Amino acid sequence: MGIPILKLGECLLISIQSELDDKTAMEFQEDLLSKIHETSARGVVIDITSIDFIDSFIAKILGDVVSMSKLMGARVVVTGIQPAVAITLIELGITFEGVLSAMDLESGLEKLKQELGE
């Protein structure tokens, strides 16, 4: 079962509700990039509140998804980053340069709308 990607105006909303395994993470990456292309989305909010910890592969995929989304012209906001996830990302050298973050999905969507001038 894949991760649902919802379209709201010019934005895509993703709320990851469970820990990711390698296969699901790879499918998510492909699905999101395809959806950005299909919808010409200008913004993406990725909520990872439910993820308590990540391994190095999932961290790399998450970093790649953010970078690839930006390359495709979509602004990215990552929400709900747990302390252990933040520590792992930094220890692995994965930075979300130029990416906004927020505590929750609602705040993230609001930041994205401001960024897009909506």
Side-chain angles (χ1 to χ4, degrees):
M1 182 174 129
I3 296 169
I5 301 171
L6 306 174
K7 184 175 183 315
L8 180 64
E10 295 183 302
C11 301
L12 299 177
L13 304 176
I14 301 100
S15 182
I16 301 173
Q17 295 296 311
S18 61
E19 300 298 330
L20 294 174
D21 59 47
D22 293 356
K23 182 180 178 215
T24 304
M26 292 296 296
E27 288 172 358
F28 166 62
Q29 178 177 335
E30 292 172 22
D31 292 348
L32 178 57
L33 297 176
S34 293
K35 195 76 161 183
I36 291 170
H37 179 72
E38 289 168 19
T39 64
S40 298
R42 294 180 54 217
V44 175
V45 179
I46 303 172
D47 181 54
I48 59 173
T49 302
S50 296
I51 298 178
D52 295 324
F53 62 92
I54 55 174
D55 63 23
S56 59
F57 181 76
I58 302 301
K60 181 186 178 325
I61 292 294
L62 188 57
D64 289 350
V65 162
V66 168
S67 297
M68 291 173 189
S69 296
K70 286 173 38 184
L71 278 175
M72 294 183 72
R75 292 287 298 164
V76 180
V77 179
V78 179
T79 65
I81 299 174
Q82 301 292 334
V85 173
I87 291 167
T88 301
L89 290 170
I90 296 303
E91 285 178 347
L92 294 172
I94 298 170
T95 60
F96 292 148
E97 195 154 330
V99 174
L100 299 171
S101 62
M103 293 301 290
D104 56 43
L105 187 58
E106 186 177 354
S107 300
L109 186 56
E110 199 56 43
K111 274 190 178 183
L112 185 58
K113 285 182 176 183
Q114 289 174 356
E115 193 71 19
L116 298 175
E118 292 183 11

